[in-house]
Amino acid sequence: MFGREHTSLRLAVIANPRSGNMWLRRLLVALYGLEERSAHTPADVPWDDLPERCVLQIHWHPERAFRRRLRAS
């Protein structure tokens, strides 16, 4: 629908635990037809193997290195 299966889209949900981030991730998956991934730390994320269309949920601090990694991916 709307050609979304051909458009790259990567989103990150970064929030505190128990703040509705899993609910938001599931809404984004349903709305945009994305694959979903979750991780506890940036080291747990397979950065080079993320799908072109996905939403990543992670609880992490907005450290400078983490923000750079998000922008690069």
Side-chain angles (χ1 to χ4, degrees):
M1 173 187 285
F2 306 112
R4 66 183 182 193
E5 60 276 350
H6 300 293
T7 305
S8 177
L9 178 63
R10 288 182 175 161
L11 301 172
V13 176
I14 305 164
N16 294 325
R18 304 196 51 80
S19 62
N21 48 16
M22 184 175 180
W23 174 74
L24 177 58
R25 183 184 84 202
R26 296 287 171 97
L27 286 175
L28 293 168
V29 165
L31 181 63
Y32 293 109
L34 303 172
E35 292 186 44
E36 56 187 308
R37 301 290 188 268
S38 62
H40 293 288
T41 71
D44 296 335
V45 178
W47 296 106
D48 294 331
D49 294 323
L50 286 174
E52 286 297 313
R53 296 185 52 78
C54 70
V55 58
L56 169 67
Q57 176 188 337
I58 188 168
H59 307 298
W60 202 253
H61 305 284
E63 299 165 344
R64 181 173 290 164
F66 179 52
R67 292 192 320 260
R68 276 195 302 260
R69 188 60 182 140
L70 285 170
R71 278 191 292 275
S73 295

